[in-house]
């Protein structure tokens, strides 16, 4: 399996694919953002198998119709495994569309759309709320399934929407986030 990990200093994402590689050693490379964007364009256009070649300083992605080369960043990627919980027993399941709609509604009271959203988790519901000193308070309850003790946590609303909008399942399962990251 091949996977990629990316961070912007605030968020972390990990995604992978199953491949037919004959690698004997782990191969690691840091690809600059511009290179990732170009490779992504090639992936969208190709719609076919790709060949990936990695040298000490470059990564090349080759399809039947095109090729993209990116210089690699010299250095070591931060150890992301140290910041991601490995043994998460807290599982929250909520309808992803309802969750996105609720977040969007409660942040409408905020002038700064990046303002934090607090989420209070309870056994059968979550409560989302925003409290803005300049424009008031937004609060909404949402049916959910949560398997642990009550918990209140805050998030940047934009980050919450980014994550939730990428979930393909109809039900947003927080344990999948920890498995994916």
């Amino acid at each position: 399996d091949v996977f990629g990990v990316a961070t912007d200093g605030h968020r972390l994402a990990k995604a992978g694919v199953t491949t037919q590689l004959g690698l004997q050693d782990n191969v690691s490379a840091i690809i600059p953002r511009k290179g990732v964007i170009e490779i992504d364009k090639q992936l969208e256009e190709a719609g076919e198998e790709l060949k990936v070649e990695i040298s000490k300083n470059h990564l090349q992605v080759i399809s039947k119709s095109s090729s993209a080369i990116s210089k690699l960043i010299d250095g070591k990627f931060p150890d992301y495994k140290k910041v991601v919980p490995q043994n998460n027993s807290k599982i929250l399941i909520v309808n992803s569309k309802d969750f996105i709609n609720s977040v969007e509604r409660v942040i409408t009271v905020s002038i700064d759309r990046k303002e934090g959203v607090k989420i209070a988790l309870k056994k059968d519901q979550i409560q989302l709320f925003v409290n803005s000193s300049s424009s008031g308070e937004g609060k909404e309850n949402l049916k959910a399934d949560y398997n642990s003790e009550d918990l209140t946590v805050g998030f940047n609303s934009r980050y919450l929407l980014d994550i939730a909008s990428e979930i393909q399942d109809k039900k947003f399962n927080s344990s999948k986030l920890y498995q994916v990251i």
Side-chain angles (χ1 to χ4, degrees):
D1 291 348
V2 174
F3 66 91
V5 179
T7 183
D8 64 0
H10 299 279
R11 297 174 281 192
L12 179 73
K14 178 181 172 185
V17 294
T18 301
T19 63
Q20 298 174 4
L21 294 177
L23 296 176
Q24 294 177 359
D25 296 323
N26 284 336
V27 177
S28 179
I30 302 176
I31 307 168
R33 184 177 189 274
K34 244 182 170 177
V36 171
I37 291 168
E38 290 304 316
I39 292 168
D40 185 49
K41 284 181 192 174
Q42 185 180 10
L43 287 168
E44 287 178 12
E45 292 170 4
E48 57 193 49
E49 288 187 10
L50 298 173
K51 180 179 178 183
V52 179
E53 295 178 353
I54 300 175
S55 68
K56 183 179 178 184
N57 299 317
H58 294 86
L59 174 122
Q60 183 173 12
V61 179
I62 305 162
S63 71
K64 289 181 183 175
S65 58
S66 64
S67 174
I69 298 172
S70 176
K71 187 174 180 178
L72 299 177
I73 296 173
D74 188 27
K76 188 163 174 69
F77 195 79
D79 188 0
Y80 63 91
K81 292 178 184 173
K82 288 184 178 178
V83 298
V84 177
Q86 297 299 311
N87 298 316
N88 176 39
S89 62
K90 293 176 175 68
I91 298 174
L92 168 68
I93 300 173
V94 64
N95 181 289
S96 59
K97 187 176 180 180
D98 293 345
F99 181 78
I100 290 168
N101 291 338
S102 290
V103 171
E104 288 176 341
R105 279 191 296 269
V106 297
I107 64 174
T108 58
V109 301
S110 174
I111 294 170
D112 181 7
R113 307 260 314 173
K114 294 182 282 185
E115 194 164 344
V117 173
K118 287 189 181 172
I119 300 176
L121 304 168
K122 297 183 188 305
K123 183 177 174 122
D124 58 356
Q125 76 171 5
I126 61 174
Q127 183 179 65
L128 296 99
F129 52 98
V130 172
N131 192 350
S132 176
S133 59
S134 59
S135 55
E137 182 180 282
K139 188 183 292 187
E140 189 160 326
N141 291 330
L142 186 61
K143 184 179 174 188
D145 186 11
Y146 179 59
N147 76 335
S148 195
E149 68 277 355
D150 291 0
L151 174 69
T152 300
V153 62
F155 292 97
N156 177 309
S157 60
R158 188 178 70 220
Y159 296 166
L160 267 181
L161 291 171
D162 286 350
I163 291 168
S165 66
E166 291 300 319
I167 303 296
Q168 300 297 319
D169 296 339
K170 286 185 178 182
K171 296 222 182 248
F172 179 62
N173 184 332
S174 66
S175 68
K176 288 183 182 179
L177 286 178
Y178 293 115
Q179 292 168 3
V180 171
I181 290 180

